Amino acid sequence: MAFNIAIDGPAGAGKSTIAKLVAKELSYIYVDTGAMYRAMALYFLRAGIAAGDKEKITAACGKITVTLSNEGGEQQVFLNGENVNGFIRTEEVGKMTSAVSIYAPVREKLTQLQREMARTTDLIMDGRDIGTCVLPQAQVKIYLTASVETRGRRRFLELQEKGTDCSLEEICEDIKKRDYRDMTREISPLKQAKDAILVDSSEMSIDEVVAKILEIVRDAT
């Protein structure tokens, strides 16, 4: 039976960074569900579909195929056959992702693929509703979070390193809005699964968070 680890948490909590490192330590497959949603959001943006146009978004879902592959130890995301790794990490795509992930057709499109992978593969998957909806039977569930200030500061420094002009205050405000949307959406809202272990990384280094999760996994196996 495949061993699955689910990591959920709000935007900017470091889920992807931590999940990749834990997967490497365990020799598990890492599945970045956020990247899959971002690929769909990119399609809608390119097609000129507004985030609030539920009818067009629903119709477009049938035209979208999102697949994953691992090349050189790095996950590659393909949108209708095109590698879109270099296009899905912008702020515009991030905001669109949060806005359109509330729609059932968008979530259903990707959930099926994610569950199929989990049935046959030892993996670690991160997102907003992995432990609660996508993989409710995961053997280990983590809810990874950090304060808004900590998450905002991390994002601010990341953008500064890339030479992007940004405002810490605006980034924190955007994070608060994303949290509200994610936690109050009607379909699969962001919340801690009852059997998930809370890990608050506000005062922890990346290495400390990885060590903590590895300890949790060892205790479960």
Side-chain angles (χ1 to χ4, degrees):
M1 181 179 177
F3 195 95
N4 300 157
I5 303 170
I7 298 184
D8 290 308
K15 299 185 299 296
S16 296
T17 298
I18 299 301
K20 287 177 185 176
L21 293 171
V22 172
K24 185 176 181 180
E25 287 289 329
L26 297 172
S27 296
Y28 280 19
I29 296 298
Y30 166 62
V31 180
D32 181 357
T33 61
M36 298 171 76
Y37 279 98
R38 282 173 174 268
M40 292 193 76
L42 178 64
Y43 180 94
F44 300 139
L45 285 169
R46 287 177 170 180
I49 300 174
D53 197 332
K54 183 178 179 180
E55 184 176 342
K56 286 187 177 180
I57 285 174
T58 299
C61 284
K63 304 174 183 178
I64 301 173
T65 299
V66 179
T67 55
L68 303 176
S69 73
N70 282 286
E71 299 176 11
E74 292 292 328
Q75 178 180 268
Q76 306 298 318
V77 184
F78 293 84
L79 172 62
N80 292 341
E82 175 194 356
N83 188 323
V84 293
N85 270 33
F87 304 101
I88 61 174
R89 296 299 178 183
T90 66
E91 285 294 293
E92 182 184 23
V93 171
K95 291 177 182 178
M96 186 67 163
T97 301
S98 181
V100 302
S101 61
I102 64 172
Y103 299 122
V106 174
R107 308 197 71 80
E108 291 167 0
K109 180 79 177 183
L110 296 178
T111 296
Q112 181 181 2
L113 172 62
Q114 293 157 3
R115 286 176 175 167
E116 287 173 356
M117 287 189 286
R119 275 196 290 269
T120 59
T121 309
D122 292 337
L123 55 75
I124 181 166
M125 192 178 292
D126 72 281
R128 302 287 197 279
D129 63 346
I130 309 304
T132 54
C133 298
V134 180
L135 301 179
Q137 303 304 317
Q139 290 90 335
V140 170
K141 299 177 185 176
I142 305 292
Y143 190 84
L144 180 63
T145 190
S147 67
V148 170
E149 293 73 24
T150 296
R151 289 183 282 145
R153 186 167 60 254
R154 289 172 181 169
R155 183 58 176 162
F156 176 76
L157 293 174
E158 179 183 334
L159 291 172
Q160 275 201 323
E161 288 178 3
K162 294 179 180 178
T164 303
D165 185 32
C166 55
S167 160
L168 177 58
E169 183 178 351
E170 289 179 2
I171 290 173
C172 287
E173 188 60 33
D174 183 56
I175 286 175
K176 289 178 184 178
K177 290 178 180 178
R178 285 198 203 182
D179 285 351
Y180 179 79
R181 284 197 301 268
D182 290 340
M183 292 176 179
T184 61
R185 67 190 181 206
E186 184 177 350
I187 300 170
S188 302
L190 168 64
K191 61 181 179 180
Q192 182 178 342
K194 292 181 179 179
D195 53 347
I197 297 174
L198 176 66
V199 176
D200 188 328
S201 69
S202 297
E203 303 298 328
M204 299 172 71
S205 68
I206 291 175
D207 288 344
E208 288 172 334
V209 177
V210 170
K212 177 64 177 179
I213 292 177
L214 287 173
E215 178 185 343
I216 293 168
V217 173
R218 282 194 294 269
D219 289 342
T221 56

